[in-house]
Amino acid sequence: EEIRASAIVDRNLRKTAEMIDSVLSYTSLKLGIEPRPDSIDLEGFLRELEIDAAMEAHARKIATVVSVPPGLKIDADPRLLRSAVSNLLQNALKFSHEGSTVSLTAARAEGRVTIEVIDACGGLPPGKAVELFSPLVQRGENRSGFGFGLAIARQAAEAHNGTIRVRDMPGLGCAFVIDLPSTEH
C-alpha cells in the first residue's frame, strides 16, 4: 500500500514537472528566445523519454517501442526538443487503446531528420487534423491537460527551422512527425 502511494505521488510530481516545463517552453518560444543547440544522440534521447513515460505506459497497459539507427545525432536545443517529443508521447499514451503499442522512431533522409511518435488511437475524426496544433484545442473527449502539447511541439519544431505534421491512419492511429534539418554532413 505504501509503495503504491509512493508511485502515485511520483507520477503526479512527474506530471506537474512536465506541465511546468511545457508552459516554460511555450512561453520561451512565444517570447522569441533563441534555441541553444547541442549535439543529441537520438537513440539515447528517445530511450530516456520512454523510461520517463514507463509508469504511465504500464498503468495504461501500453507497450512502447523505440527504433533509431545507431549513431543518429542532431543539433537541437535539448530542452525544447524534449518538451516537444515528451508532449507527443504523453498524448500518444493518453489516446491509445489499452493493450496497444506506441512507437518512437527517428530516421535521416535527404538532409532531414524525422522523429515520429505513432499511437494507436484509432485515427482522427474527420476535419480534426487541421486544428490540432492550435493552443487550447484538445484532441478528444479526454480533457486532462491544458491543450498546449501540440502547440508546443509545433513551436519547438519551427524554432529549429522544422515542421510538424500528423499522418492519420484511420482505424489504427496517428503518426506525429517532427521534421528537422539534418546537421550532419
Side-chain angles (χ1 to χ4, degrees), residues 121-178:
C121 68
L124 292 172
K128 191 72 174 170
V130 181
E131 64 183 31
L132 273 182
F133 298 100
S134 302
L136 306 179
V137 169
Q138 293 185 320
R139 209 169 133 184
E141 295 307 308
N142 184 336
R143 297 292 180 200
S144 61
F146 293 94
F148 279 111
L150 295 177
I152 290 166
R154 186 190 76 206
Q155 286 184 327
E158 289 173 355
H160 290 91
N161 299 311
T163 60
I164 186 168
R165 64 185 181 275
V166 61
R167 189 171 70 246
D168 187 23
M169 300 174 289
L172 298 172
C174 299
F176 286 85
V177 184
I178 298 175

Side-chain angles (χ1 to χ4, degrees), residues 38-161:
D38 199 358
S39 180
I40 298 171
D41 172 68
L42 284 172
E43 184 175 20
F45 179 81
L46 294 182
R47 289 206 184 279
E48 203 174 288
L49 291 178
E50 178 188 36
I51 290 165
D52 289 348
M55 197 179 296
E56 186 73 22
H58 179 74
R60 305 241 325 117
K61 297 181 177 67
I62 294 171
T64 55
V65 176
V66 173
S67 175
V68 182
L72 180 57
K73 291 182 168 47
I74 190 166
D75 283 346
D77 184 312
R79 189 176 65 87
L80 292 181
L81 192 60
R82 170 180 294 282
S83 186
V85 180
S86 178
N87 273 297
L88 295 180
L89 179 56
Q90 291 304 320
N91 272 357
L93 294 172
K94 179 174 164 180
F95 292 107
S96 290
H97 301 302
E98 192 174 285
S100 62
T101 300
V102 166
S103 300
L104 291 145
T105 68
R108 175 182 286 116
E110 298 170 19
R112 313 286 299 172
V113 169
T114 56
I115 300 169
E116 287 194 18
V117 179
I118 304 164
D119 67 28
C121 68
L124 292 172
K128 191 72 174 170
V130 181
E131 64 183 31
L132 273 182
F133 298 100
S134 302
L136 306 179
V137 169
Q138 293 185 320
R139 209 169 133 184
E141 295 307 308
N142 184 336
R143 297 292 180 200
S144 61
F146 293 94
F148 279 111
L150 295 177
I152 290 166
R154 186 190 76 206
Q155 286 184 327
E158 289 173 355
H160 290 91
N161 299 311

